[in-house]
């Protein structure tokens, strides 16, 4: 199992930016497809973005496409989510997730390693 720790959440005004980080430990980071998901009160957990093991492929939810950018640095065992043009509807608990596979996945249920999450709040 890989251990994941998110950081970088906080309170930001609409139109602002935040960068989330996900530090991994315990297993070979480059063996894992990484993803970001979010969970807002009263809503289902939502897939946000995923990145393949060598960063060759990224996929995004339609709701964040063009505003969020997922990346990773395998040398630092860290994944990132750059969030720009944030809107109040982006307010949620954001989680980093991993799956030990060659294949990326766009459903939260496809990931079996999760961090503890970090809160992102966007004020209007």
């Amino acid at each position: 199992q890989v251990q994941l720790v998110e950081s970088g959440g906080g309170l930001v005004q609409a139109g602002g930016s935040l960068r989330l980080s996900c530090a991994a430990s315990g297993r070979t980071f480059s063996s894992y497809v990484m993803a970001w998901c979010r969970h807002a009160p009263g809503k289902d957990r939502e897939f946000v973005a995923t990145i393949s093991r060598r960063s060759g492929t990224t996929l995004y939810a339609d709701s964040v496409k063009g505003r969020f950018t997922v990346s990773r640095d395998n040398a630092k065992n860290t994944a990132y989510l750059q969030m720009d043009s944030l809107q109040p509807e982006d307010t949620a608990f954001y989680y980093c997730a991993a799956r030990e596979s060659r294949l990326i996945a766009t459903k939260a249920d496809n990931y079996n390693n999760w961090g503890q999450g970090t809160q992102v709040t966007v004020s209007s």
Side-chain angles (χ1 to χ4, degrees):
Q1 295 289 329
V2 63
Q3 288 77 49
L4 306 172
V5 178
E6 302 93 335
S7 61
L11 173 64
V12 64
Q13 289 188 330
S17 298
L18 283 175
R19 188 194 195 202
L20 305 184
S21 297
C22 173
S25 63
R27 294 288 296 271
T28 304
F29 182 65
S30 58
S31 298
Y32 290 84
V33 169
M34 300 301 296
W36 290 90
C37 299
R38 65 187 182 186
H39 193 189
K43 296 183 179 180
D44 293 333
R45 186 174 54 179
E46 177 187 18
F47 164 81
V48 173
T50 183
I51 185 167
S52 61
R53 298 184 302 176
R54 299 288 187 268
S55 303
T57 302
T58 57
L59 289 176
Y60 298 89
D62 288 342
S63 57
V64 307
K65 201 172 295 182
R67 300 187 297 121
F68 290 11
T69 303
V70 61
S71 63
R72 65 190 294 165
D73 185 338
N74 287 348
K76 295 183 178 180
N77 292 345
T78 303
Y80 305 95
L81 185 68
Q82 177 67 40
M83 304 185 294
D84 299 318
S85 302
L86 282 162
Q87 300 301 316
E89 52 265 35
D90 294 317
T91 295
F93 225 77
Y94 283 72
Y95 296 90
C96 174
R99 66 192 302 251
E100 193 170 13
S101 172
R102 296 183 295 109
L103 303 176
I104 60 174
T106 58
K107 293 183 178 180
D109 288 347
N110 292 134
Y111 293 83
N112 57 355
N113 296 277
W114 293 84
Q116 84 289 351
T118 186
Q119 176 69 43
V120 171
T121 303
V122 185
S123 62
S124 57

